[in-house]
Amino acid sequence: MNLTHPGVGGTGLLLDVSKLPKEEAEKFQRSLEQREYSSYTSSLIPLQRSLPDIRLKGCHSLYTDLSLPETSVIIIFYNEHWSVVLRTIHSIMDNTPPHLIKEVILVDDASTDKVLKEPLEEYVSRFRKVQLLRAESRQGLIRARMIGFQQSTAPVAVFMDAHCECFPGWLEPLVTRIAENQSIITTPTLHSLDSRSFKIVKIHEWGKRKSLLIPTLTFPNLLFTWSSMSEEEWKKRTRETDPVRSPAMVGCVIAVSRSWFKKLGMFDPGLEIWGGENTELSIKTWLCGGGLEIIPCSNVAHMYHPHRPSEESDIRYKRNIARVSNVWLDKYKHYTDNYDGSIADYGDISDRIALRDSLKCHPFEFYLTNVNPYQFIPGNGIYTGLIRNVELGIDCLDSGGRQNGDKVNVLLYSCHGKGNQLWDFTDRREIRIGGQCLDSGYGDNVVTKKCHGLRGNQEWEVISLEGHVLLKSHGYCVGVTKSESALVLGKCHNSALQQWIWKQNRKPRIS
Ligand SMILES: [Mn+2]
């Protein structure tokens, strides 16, 4: 194919499949179907490829302590492509000072791919510090990670997915923060490893608030989403290299002190396969006296590849989440996926509750007031539910049901009280439905747009008027046209056309 240094330096290899010989094109296609990423492309890229030093300017002088604790890196794989696992290991070995790595523990979660048996064993035997464990039967990511952890001996553990690549200087900043405070769990700046070309794409720039995204919990399913940092947090930081408080984690690279992880009861062993463990760990470290931070000076690329959903994995995920909610969320468990109680059997959680009690962890309310006061919980807004027009009486604001579009016109529709009409007024002063926010930046049009969390045209006032409310943004109010047929954003006036009935639910968390 005439490739020179494919993928080296983190550049990708974008193959023009139409130019490949038929047989090769078929191999390429098959590799995509098998793994959800192009292992064909991966196998053309050297197992040991250099990545550039992308650390922020201030990082080099910050992390020079030679007496940091040692680390065990724990990597689970299940039928991961050989080249992807090995590139993960090489990148660790090449970009970490040897004295900081005590061991790399690979746990094979009962893979069936033959190349991951003897050939892998033989390949990794060149690394003195790499151990390979085999689970006898499929354990799932969560329990396999604990098998690796139990085998490990260093004072700091790093759990890493088997499809990552580490940049120069990735480990020192993670461990330094833990050495300062052992109840802080740290995660790196995560970049993206493209699943087709294996190109590394930088995602975050810590100097720009707009591009600075941190993981936040989503309700009702307790996954994570990327959302922008609050102004308060932004102002607290004095240097772009400062650690960033993170309400949640992605879960693909986690550094944690052995003693803190043990004290927190490790991962809940009742969680199946994967999903929910990152949420559980995030919530409990915050509630039980620790914290969770992203360390800007640490850089790791992770391949985000789609998981094929199935009914089975769906139920399993819901069950995991039901466990986490029932242990940690107090009254807020009613806002999670299992609010209807459809997952009745989530197993015995009594030892988890006992653990929470013995550690005297805060109630979940603490998370909402101290960790992420901007946490959005649909149905728990300051105002929540239907927004009914006073003049018309029977018509409500309706999002039309499109949740992920760019700009969507809001409709006036007869009130039915279903999802498209259930709005929340949030602590960020958004008027929100799912991930869409009412936006006043489009002339007299009343639209929703993807929430950006940066206030501006998505900042509203809900002004109370004798039981009714005005919805106001930058001096304009949402109302109904005089012909009473459509919505319009116009100068505020004194008419029932601009007055709405909306239920107040609670006090703002932030004044
Ligand atoms: Mn992953």
Side-chain angles (χ1 to χ4, degrees):
M1 272 183 247
N2 249 339
L3 301 169
T4 39
H5 312 302
V8 164
T11 59
L13 173 60
L14 205 52
L15 292 171
D16 184 349
V17 186
S18 66
K19 290 195 177 134
L20 292 176
K22 189 165 166 267
E23 208 173 294
E24 296 300 305
E26 278 171 13
K27 276 191 203 162
F28 175 88
Q29 213 45 50
R30 233 177 299 137
S31 90
L32 271 182
E33 282 157 20
Q34 249 178 7
R35 313 235 183 219
E36 305 164 348
Y37 56 83
S38 175
S39 52
Y40 181 88
T41 306
S42 177
S43 55
L44 297 173
I45 294 171
L47 297 178
Q48 201 170 7
R49 69 165 165 174
S50 59
L51 294 186
D53 186 346
I54 58 166
R55 276 173 285 187
L56 296 165
K57 267 197 206 120
C59 295
H60 296 78
S61 57
L62 275 177
Y63 301 105
T64 52
D65 184 359
L66 292 173
S67 61
L68 291 172
E70 286 184 308
T71 297
S72 304
V73 183
I74 296 152
I75 298 171
I76 314 308
F77 63 91
Y78 171 70
N79 286 347
E80 195 82 70
H81 193 259
W82 143 283
S83 64
V84 172
V85 183
L86 290 177
R87 207 171 291 113
T88 305
I89 299 169
H90 273 295
S91 80
I92 294 168
M93 293 307 181
D94 290 347
N95 295 299
T96 318
H99 71 276
L100 286 186
I101 294 265
K102 185 161 192 197
E103 62 215 353
V104 175
I105 297 179
L106 293 175
V107 183
D108 171 11
D109 190 11
S111 298
T112 51
D113 187 351
K114 286 200 181 80
V115 77
L116 297 173
K117 303 298 167 189
E118 281 81 52
L120 181 70
E121 223 157 289
E122 198 187 312
Y123 191 99
V124 300
S125 67
R126 72 185 64 189
F127 301 110
R128 195 172 46 81
K129 293 184 179 176
V130 175
Q131 303 172 34
L132 180 52
L133 309 181
R134 310 268 188 197
E136 277 175 24
S137 60
R138 186 89 199 273
Q139 300 295 311
L141 176 76
I142 300 162
R143 284 198 280 268
R145 276 181 168 179
M146 289 200 283
I147 293 175
F149 180 77
Q150 260 136 5
Q151 180 75 18
S152 72
T153 52
V156 175
V158 171
F159 296 102
M160 186 182 290
D161 282 1
H163 37 263
C164 289
E165 286 181 60
C166 302
F167 284 78
W170 71 283
L171 184 61
E172 298 91 316
L174 297 178
V175 177
T176 301
R177 186 69 182 111
I178 292 171
E180 283 166 11
N181 181 344
Q182 61 112 30
S183 53
I184 301 287
I185 296 176
T186 58
T187 61
T189 303
L190 287 174
H191 303 282
S192 143
L193 184 56
D194 186 78
S195 61
R196 286 209 159 215
S197 67
F198 288 76
K199 182 183 170 157
I200 287 172
V201 184
K202 276 176 71 177
I203 299 184
H204 306 271
E205 287 192 60
W206 296 109
K208 293 185 196 150
R209 183 167 164 235
K210 279 193 180 174
S211 70
L212 200 164
L213 297 172
I214 48 173
T216 313
L217 289 185
T218 61
F219 280 74
N221 50 15
L222 296 188
L223 288 163
F224 77 92
T225 186
W226 297 103
S227 59
S228 45
M229 183 187 273
S230 69
E231 244 165 280
E232 292 85 343
E233 284 296 319
W234 173 252
K235 282 180 186 152
K236 262 190 235 160
R237 304 179 70 234
T238 55
R239 297 173 303 184
E240 57 180 359
T241 53
D242 286 350
V244 176
R245 275 163 48 98
S246 187
M249 67 167 85
V250 184
C252 50
V253 185
I254 308 166
V256 58
S257 91
R258 165 171 305 279
S259 58
W260 184 235
F261 189 60
K262 274 181 141 166
K263 201 168 173 188
L264 290 177
M266 308 196 280
F267 295 117
D268 171 2
L271 298 174
E272 301 285 343
I273 313 288
W274 74 264
E277 81 288 353
N278 50 346
T279 301
E280 192 223 5
L281 192 58
S282 310
I283 293 174
K284 68 185 177 183
T285 186
W286 280 118
L287 293 188
C288 305
L292 173 60
E293 292 177 358
I294 303 170
I295 312 296
C297 287
S298 169
N299 295 285
V300 176
H302 167 253
M303 180 162 48
Y304 294 92
H305 53 90
H307 290 272
R308 284 190 194 123
S310 67
E311 203 177 323
E312 190 198 340
S313 69
D314 233 46
I315 291 172
R316 195 170 57 222
Y317 183 78
K318 280 187 88 170
R319 184 183 173 280
N320 284 359
I321 287 309
R323 280 185 77 85
V324 176
S325 333
N326 278 281
V327 176
W328 296 101
L329 259 58
D330 309 326
K331 66 178 184 194
Y332 294 94
K333 72 182 177 197
H334 297 295
Y335 295 103
T336 65
D337 226 350
N338 197 37
Y339 59 90
D340 59 355
S342 62
I343 305 292
D345 178 21
Y346 44 77
D348 183 4
I349 55 170
S350 54
D351 66 326
R352 296 281 116 185
I353 306 256
L355 176 82
R356 182 181 170 169
D357 291 344
S358 75
L359 291 175
K360 300 194 167 51
C361 306
H362 295 288
F364 190 71
E365 197 68 44
F366 174 90
Y367 185 91
L368 298 177
T369 42
N370 295 288
V371 181
N372 186 15
Y374 297 108
Q375 177 67 56
F376 173 54
I377 304 177
N380 189 40
I382 299 163
Y383 286 83
T384 191
L386 290 174
I387 307 180
R388 183 189 298 267
N389 186 266
V390 171
E391 176 72 29
L392 305 180
I394 51 163
D395 285 341
C396 284
L397 288 190
D398 192 302
S399 72
R402 277 171 59 197
Q403 293 278 313
N404 296 311
D406 185 28
K407 170 173 88 65
V408 183
N409 282 319
V410 178
L411 314 171
L412 194 59
Y413 200 84
S414 48
C415 303
H416 55 59
K418 300 252 169 60
N420 303 344
Q421 297 186 348
L422 300 177
W423 301 84
D424 281 286
F425 185 54
T426 71
D427 291 271
R428 247 185 188 126
R429 298 179 178 278
E430 299 149 330
I431 295 177
R432 179 165 176 162
I433 198 157
Q436 295 287 108
C437 280
L438 210 60
D439 194 301
S440 63
Y442 294 88
D444 58 3
N445 292 321
V446 180
V447 305
T448 60
K449 228 189 144 181
K450 193 167 189 283
C451 301
H452 52 54
L454 299 168
R455 298 181 186 261
N457 293 329
Q458 295 185 354
E459 184 169 12
W460 293 83
E461 289 172 84
V462 177
I463 298 166
S464 170
L465 283 177
E466 295 158 19
H468 300 157
V469 296
L470 290 179
L471 311 176
K472 188 174 175 185
S473 175
H474 302 296
Y476 291 91
C477 287
V478 175
V480 176
T481 52
K482 285 219 172 72
S483 63
E484 301 184 352
S485 58
L487 285 167
V488 65
L489 189 65
K491 280 218 170 93
C492 301
H493 51 68
N494 238 339
S495 127
L497 290 168
Q498 281 186 349
Q499 291 174 17
W500 304 88
I501 298 165
W502 200 6
K503 190 182 108 210
Q504 187 156 14
N505 173 49
R506 64 172 171 87
K507 292 208 175 87
R509 288 194 286 262
I510 298 144
S511 50

